[in-house]
Amino acid sequence: ADSPCTVEAGSAHPLGATVDKMGVNFSVFSEHADNVELLIFDDHDSVEPTQVIDLSHHMHRTFHFWHCYVRGLKAGTHYAYRVSGPWDPSGRGHRFNRNKVLVDPYAKGITTTLWDRGAACTPDDNLAQSMRGAVIDLNDYDWQGDRPLNRPMHETIVYEMHVGGFTKSETSGARSPGTFSGVVEKIPYLKSLGVTAVELLPVHQFDPSEIQKPSPTDPSVMLTNYWGYSTVGFFAPHSGYCESPEMADHIREFRDMVKALHRAGIEVILDVVFNHTSEGQHQGPVMSFKGFENDVYYHLVQQDRQYYMDYTGCGNTVNCNHPVMDKLIVECLEFWVREM
């Protein structure tokens, strides 16, 4: 019989962490890495991994995809990666550094209990201050027959909504303010307005600590990334909008909101921004894309590739023309429509 967590070759596709009845398949992309290590954590706040899986054996690599299947592993565990490779920012644009613990670009849930952005900006090890991906079983949910409403646009009345701010005030009366559940609580209010669709400002995982500076009008108030327009994980509902992200409930909580809104005759539209990420410019943190394949995921300055082309005004510009990033964008859009 297999031991509780037997490591097998696994499959290159699909990317991310994919759960089945017997275990979990993991797959990530990196073209120029020398090695990839998968870290398995019991809980969202576990500093040390319970298992480190070295993917250096040829059975764990298909072209530029690194993969393994962990038989016996269950949904609800957490994971991250270390990636080794050349450090050559100015020449080839490579920023590989095994010290940096990376979150999977395809993670369906991300927890930030230990996260310290400053620790990701240095070359030192940041295991104790890094993000974790959550292993989530997408099939473990009852949609109860829910379907998209497909209301004609000319009949649609859109309410643009910031999930975190919509119920944050005490006057909202929400039991779970600033969450997906809080939106559900206010459906009767939305109905009273005649709303037929909510357009949600970014609900993907972002880093509120990306911006930390005193307010120009009140220096005692620190400004943070409130709007969420610098994404960390495009597949993961923002943990700050969840009631229990530590339980890897990101997907369930978002789906519950969508199902409740649909039941009330309200469609859901998402605002998704693929043109830049929270990793910022050359002094920014290494938390995901930079550490897996910096010169693939971002537009770099050709004369000195340590710098980023900043067409967005946000520090970096995602290389959406590259087949790997093109693949991520298409699969991400399909994911939110089909699964969420």
Side-chain angles (χ1 to χ4, degrees):
D2 291 326
S3 62
C5 283
T6 303
V7 180
E8 302 173 7
S11 172
H13 290 90
L15 285 162
T18 306
V19 181
D20 63 25
K21 294 180 180 179
M22 304 302 295
V24 184
N25 190 83
F26 295 89
S27 179
V28 293
F29 167 85
S30 184
E31 183 175 352
H32 294 100
D34 296 331
N35 191 29
V36 174
E37 295 168 273
L38 171 63
L39 314 181
I40 304 294
F41 303 90
D42 282 343
D43 297 300
H44 67 106
D45 57 355
S46 299
V47 174
E48 295 293 332
T50 54
Q51 190 172 6
V52 178
I53 301 172
D54 186 336
L55 303 182
S56 60
H57 194 280
H58 65 85
M59 73 174 181
H60 295 301
R61 189 170 184 184
T62 304
F63 297 104
H64 304 317
F65 298 94
W66 304 71
H67 49 80
C68 70
Y69 182 84
V70 186
R71 186 173 295 275
L73 195 67
K74 304 293 185 183
T77 55
H78 293 75
Y79 71 106
Y81 289 93
R82 291 188 187 272
V83 181
S84 306
W87 174 263
D88 184 16
S90 295
R92 293 182 291 170
H94 296 326
R95 291 183 175 270
F96 294 103
N97 180 356
R98 185 185 175 277
N99 285 336
K100 309 323 293 181
V101 176
L102 309 176
V103 67
D104 179 5
Y106 278 72
K108 304 305 187 293
I110 297 173
T111 51
T112 60
T113 310
L114 305 174
W115 173 242
D116 183 317
R117 189 177 181 88
C121 295
T122 74
D124 303 324
D125 193 290
N126 72 323
L127 177 63
Q129 297 92 25
S130 55
M131 295 185 184
R132 308 281 186 263
V135 176
I136 296 176
D137 184 358
L138 296 178
N139 297 316
D140 185 21
Y141 189 76
D142 183 4
W143 278 104
Q144 298 176 313
D146 179 67
R147 291 290 185 274
L149 302 181
N150 296 320
R151 180 179 288 104
M153 186 57 70
H154 71 275
E155 297 177 6
T156 300
I157 301 173
V158 179
Y159 186 111
E160 187 176 38
M161 177 191 295
H162 182 279
V163 171
F166 179 57
T167 58
K168 200 67 170 180
S169 171
E170 293 180 359
T171 61
S172 77
R175 295 184 300 275
S176 302
T179 66
F180 299 123
S181 297
V183 174
V184 175
E185 293 183 58
K186 301 301 292 185
I187 286 177
Y189 170 70
L190 293 171
K191 292 284 289 183
S192 74
L193 297 178
V195 169
T196 66
V198 290
E199 179 179 348
L200 306 181
L201 276 68
V203 294
H204 312 84
Q205 182 66 49
F206 65 94
D207 178 17
S209 66
E210 178 187 1
I211 302 170
Q212 288 187 312
K213 60 183 180 182
S215 167
T217 57
D218 184 355
S220 66
V221 176
M222 290 297 292
L223 298 178
T224 62
N225 182 351
Y226 176 78
W227 299 106
Y229 277 100
S230 287
T231 305
V232 173
F234 290 102
F235 290 80
H238 182 53
S239 57
Y241 298 160
C242 298
E243 290 185 286
S244 53
E246 70 281 356
M247 301 302 292
D249 272 348
H250 308 65
I251 299 293
R252 180 191 61 77
E253 293 190 33
F254 185 89
R255 284 170 161 176
D256 283 350
M257 177 192 68
V258 172
K259 186 166 63 174
L261 286 165
H262 282 180
R263 188 179 297 123
I266 299 175
E267 295 185 293
V268 181
I269 303 168
L270 299 186
D271 182 351
V272 191
V273 180
F274 290 107
N275 66 8
H276 68 281
T277 76
S278 186
E279 291 186 302
Q281 35 86 311
H282 63 287
Q283 295 176 316
V286 177
M287 63 175 81
S288 184
F289 300 99
K290 278 184 180 177
F292 281 107
E293 197 63 60
N294 183 58
D295 67 320
V296 162
Y297 285 117
Y298 296 110
H299 282 292
L300 306 179
V301 176
Q302 292 304 306
Q303 298 86 342
D304 189 345
R305 296 174 66 83
Q306 69 175 304
Y307 300 115
Y308 295 80
M309 298 300 295
D310 189 11
Y311 299 119
T312 65
C314 298
N316 62 44
T317 305
V318 170
N319 186 13
C320 300
N321 295 332
H322 192 283
V324 169
M325 193 63 201
D326 179 78
K327 171 183 171 68
L328 182 146
I329 291 171
V330 171
E331 291 180 345
C332 182
L333 294 173
E334 291 175 342
F335 167 76
W336 285 94
V337 171
R338 293 175 178 170
E339 297 289 347
M340 304 292 278

